[in-house]
Amino acid sequence: MGPRLLAVQHAAYAVEAKIIEDDRIPPLSETLDELRAQPLRWVGAFDEDELLVGAVAWEETVDEVDINRLVVDPAAHRRGVGRALVEEVMSRAGSRRIVVSTGRANAPARKLYERLGFEGLDEVEVIPGLWIANYAYGG
């Protein structure tokens, strides 16, 4: 499962890199060992052939859930995979606040979070020229 997850992650972040015109997104160049070393909880989405087509990962505390990454195979875009994965995290979060970040110029991701009721918090330049938009839901 690890190699397929890494392939989906790289493909998904390659799309974001194109959208935001910046390929300095850390998960884009992550290795399988680095991916496995992350202290994340994962849920995957699978197609009818049981092939992984998307995944969401998060970290959580008693007060907050932080969506660390949402990846969808580009071949599965526009099928509701990303929405279903975020909704799964939302259902698991209960009454806790959920936070997520995405590239400031990533309009499709921003639209997804906004449609699900996330509110924009701020925009931060994480490294020179690379901006992210931070969102929160509930809590």
Side-chain angles (χ1 to χ4, degrees), residues 61-114:
T61 66
V62 295
D63 299 317
E64 187 173 85
V65 174
D66 182 351
I67 297 176
N68 183 278
R69 53 191 87 182
L70 172 64
V71 296
V72 176
D73 185 326
H77 281 181
R78 312 294 303 160
R79 295 188 195 162
V81 174
R83 180 183 186 93
L85 288 166
V86 174
E87 286 175 338
E88 179 62 26
V89 173
M90 293 170 79
S91 72
R92 292 174 183 231
S95 62
R96 292 179 289 176
R97 178 179 189 223
I98 305 168
V99 295
V100 65
S101 301
T102 190
R104 178 175 73 177
N106 189 344
R110 294 185 74 167
K111 184 183 271 187
L112 168 68
Y113 296 124
E114 290 166 5

Side-chain angles (χ1 to χ4, degrees), residues 2-138:
R4 175 65 186 161
L5 175 58
L6 186 65
V8 170
Q9 176 174 292
H10 284 170
Y13 282 109
V15 169
E16 181 170 16
K18 243 184 190 175
I19 291 170
I20 68 171
E21 298 179 348
D22 197 318
D23 66 357
R24 296 176 295 166
I25 305 167
L28 181 58
S29 59
E30 196 169 55
T31 67
L32 187 54
D33 287 340
E34 290 168 334
L35 176 66
R36 287 180 170 148
Q38 296 295 320
L40 301 171
R41 295 176 180 260
W42 288 90
V43 169
F46 299 84
D47 68 10
E48 58 279 350
D49 297 322
E50 298 185 24
L51 181 68
L52 182 76
V53 294
V56 63
W58 69 94
E59 297 173 80
E60 61 183 70
T61 66
V62 295
D63 299 317
E64 187 173 85
V65 174
D66 182 351
I67 297 176
N68 183 278
R69 53 191 87 182
L70 172 64
V71 296
V72 176
D73 185 326
H77 281 181
R78 312 294 303 160
R79 295 188 195 162
V81 174
R83 180 183 186 93
L85 288 166
V86 174
E87 286 175 338
E88 179 62 26
V89 173
M90 293 170 79
S91 72
R92 292 174 183 231
S95 62
R96 292 179 289 176
R97 178 179 189 223
I98 305 168
V99 295
V100 65
S101 301
T102 190
R104 178 175 73 177
N106 189 344
R110 294 185 74 167
K111 184 183 271 187
L112 168 68
Y113 296 124
E114 290 166 5
R115 284 184 174 165
L116 288 170
F118 284 77
E119 294 186 16
L121 298 176
D122 58 14
E123 296 176 353
V124 178
E125 189 176 19
V126 291
I127 55 177
L130 182 61
W131 288 82
I132 61 167
N134 293 306
Y135 285 87
Y137 177 88

